[in-house]
Amino acid sequence: QVQVVESGGGLVQTGGSLRLSCVASGRISSLNTMGWYRRGPGQQRELVATITRGGRTNYADSVKGRFTISRDNVKNTAYLQMNDLKPEDTAVYSCNAQYKDAITYHYLEVWGQGTLVTVSP
C-alpha cells in the first residue's frame, strides 16, 4: 500500500504565500514523477506543476514565475512554494506520485486527498 499525504493549505490574502508538502510512503521501490494538480470551484482538475526524479520541472502557464515545485528524494517529499497568490488560485490542491511498487515492480500512481487553498481578495 502506498499513500501520499498533503499539508500546508489554508487561508491567505491576495499577494500572500503558502508552501504545500506532499509525503509519499509505503512499499515504494522508486518514486518517479510527482505533481501537483488543483480543482477550483466548479472547475475540472488541472495540472499545476510536475517534477521528475531528476528534477526536471513543468508548470502551467497560469503559475509560471509565481509557483516553484521541488522535491527531496531522500524524504520522498515534494513541495509547492506558492507566491503572489491570487483569488483564482483558490482550489483543492492534490498531489500525484508515480512509483514502482516494491513487491510487484509494477509502475503505478497514487493520489492524495487534497488540501484546500483559499485566497481572499
Side-chain angles (χ1 to χ4, degrees), residues 37-113:
Y37 295 75
R38 68 185 182 187
R39 186 192 301 268
Q43 298 179 2
Q44 292 187 333
R45 185 168 60 195
E46 63 176 359
L47 178 147
V48 176
T50 61
I51 184 167
T52 67
R53 183 171 181 82
R56 183 173 300 177
T57 59
N58 178 54
Y59 295 93
D61 288 342
S62 59
V63 306
K64 283 181 180 177
R66 300 187 298 123
F67 291 11
T68 302
I69 189 170
S70 60
R71 65 188 286 169
D72 184 328
N73 289 331
V74 174
K75 296 181 179 179
N76 282 351
T77 301
Y79 305 96
L80 185 68
Q81 178 66 43
M82 305 185 294
N83 298 329
D84 190 23
L85 282 161
K86 305 175 181 180
E88 51 263 42
D89 295 318
T90 294
V92 174
Y93 285 71
S94 298
C95 177
N96 173 276
Q98 299 175 13
Y99 67 98
K100 184 178 181 180
D101 189 277
I103 303 298
T104 66
Y105 299 113
H106 292 166
Y107 288 93
L108 303 170
E109 67 173 1
V110 61
W111 288 90
Q113 296 282 352

